[in-house]
């Protein structure tokens, strides 16, 4: 993994953490992890995690709630 790829991975993992822990939108998180373009952030997030940010977070929260309720 190149240094740039590593940096991108760290930024996207931080973005995922922020989206899970705070009630904020993807555009705000994109800027907070140093993306200038929310659309570029969404594309790269989708490539890394397999889902767009909003869909991924909704899916993860549903899974978490199912585990908590069980």
């Amino acid at each position: 993994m190149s240094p740039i790829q590593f940096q991108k991975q760290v930024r996207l993992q931080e973005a995922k953490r922020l989206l899970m822990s705070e009630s904020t939108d993807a555009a705000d998180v994109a800027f907070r992890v140093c993306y200038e373009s929310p659309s570029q952030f969404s594309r790269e997030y989708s490539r890394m995690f397999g889902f767009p940010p909003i869909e991924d977070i909704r899916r993860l929260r549903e899974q978490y709630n199912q585990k908590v309720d069980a």
Side-chain angles (χ1 to χ4, degrees), residues 7-63:
Q7 181 185 36
K8 184 186 299 185
Q9 183 180 29
V10 169
R11 289 164 59 198
L12 290 169
Q13 288 174 342
E14 175 64 5
K16 189 172 198 167
R17 187 192 69 76
L18 289 169
L19 286 165
M20 282 294 295
S21 65
E22 300 177 8
S23 58
T24 187
D25 64 7
D28 180 51
V29 168
F31 292 120
R32 289 174 63 185
V33 296
C34 301
Y35 277 86
E36 292 182 21
S37 165
S39 60
Q40 179 67 24
F41 165 74
S42 184
R43 278 192 301 276
E44 291 186 7
Y45 187 102
S46 295
R47 274 189 219 121
M48 182 168 186
F49 297 114
F51 297 94
I54 300 305
E55 186 179 336
D56 190 36
I57 297 309
R58 181 177 51 242
R59 186 181 59 82
L60 291 171
R61 286 182 179 154
E62 286 173 4
Q63 288 176 356

